[in-house]
C-alpha cells in the first residue's frame, strides 16, 4: 500500500468518509467529525500508521487534508 493510500485510508476510517470526500475542501471543522476530538484521533492514527511522533506545532498546524501532506513530508513521509 502506498503512503497516499495509507493517508487516505486514515482520513476515511477516522472520519467515516468516502474517497470522493478527500481533497482541498477537507479542512479542520469543515465536517462535524473534524472537531478537536476528531483532530486528536486523526493525529494519533497518522502517528501510528506511519510510525512517527509529530511535534505539537505540527499537530496544531495540521489544518487540512492538503496541508497535512506538507507536514507529513517533514517526517520523511512522502505522499
Amino acid at each position: 500500500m502506498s503512503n497516499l493510500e495509507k493517508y487516505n485510508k486514515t482520513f476515511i476510517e477516522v472520519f467515516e468518509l468516502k474517497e470522493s470526500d478527500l481533497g482541498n475542501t477537507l479542512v479542520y471543522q469543515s465536517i462535524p467529525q473534524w472537531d478537536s476530538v476528531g483532530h486528536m484521533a486523526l493525529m494519533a492514527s497518522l502517528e501510528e500508521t506511519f510510525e512517527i511522533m509529530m511535534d505539537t506545532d505540527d499537530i496544531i498546524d495540521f489544518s487540512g487534508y492538503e496541508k497535512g501532506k506538507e507536514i507529513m513530508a517533514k517526517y520523511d513521509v512522502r505522499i
Side-chain angles (χ1 to χ4, degrees):
M1 184 179 294
S2 74
N3 283 344
L4 178 59
E5 290 169 328
K6 290 179 189 176
Y7 185 73
N8 288 348
K9 184 175 186 236
T10 302
F11 273 86
I12 289 166
E13 289 179 355
V14 170
F15 296 140
E16 299 176 350
L17 301 173
K18 299 176 289 219
E19 186 102 22
S20 61
D21 295 327
L22 305 177
N24 291 334
T25 60
L26 183 58
V27 295
Y28 181 65
Q29 295 188 335
S30 65
I31 57 172
Q33 305 92 301
W34 200 347
D35 57 9
S36 59
V37 174
H39 188 73
M40 294 314 296
L42 176 64
M43 297 301 104
S45 187
L46 287 168
E47 288 180 333
E48 183 178 329
T49 298
F50 292 102
E51 299 178 354
I52 60 172
M53 182 65 99
M54 285 190 259
D55 294 332
T56 302
D57 288 341
D58 289 330
I59 291 171
I60 292 167
D61 290 342
F62 201 111
S63 58
Y65 175 82
E66 291 298 330
K67 178 67 175 176
K69 291 179 182 179
E70 295 173 25
I71 292 171
M72 296 300 285
K74 291 172 134 181
Y75 300 91
D76 293 323
V77 177
R78 305 283 177 234
I79 298 178

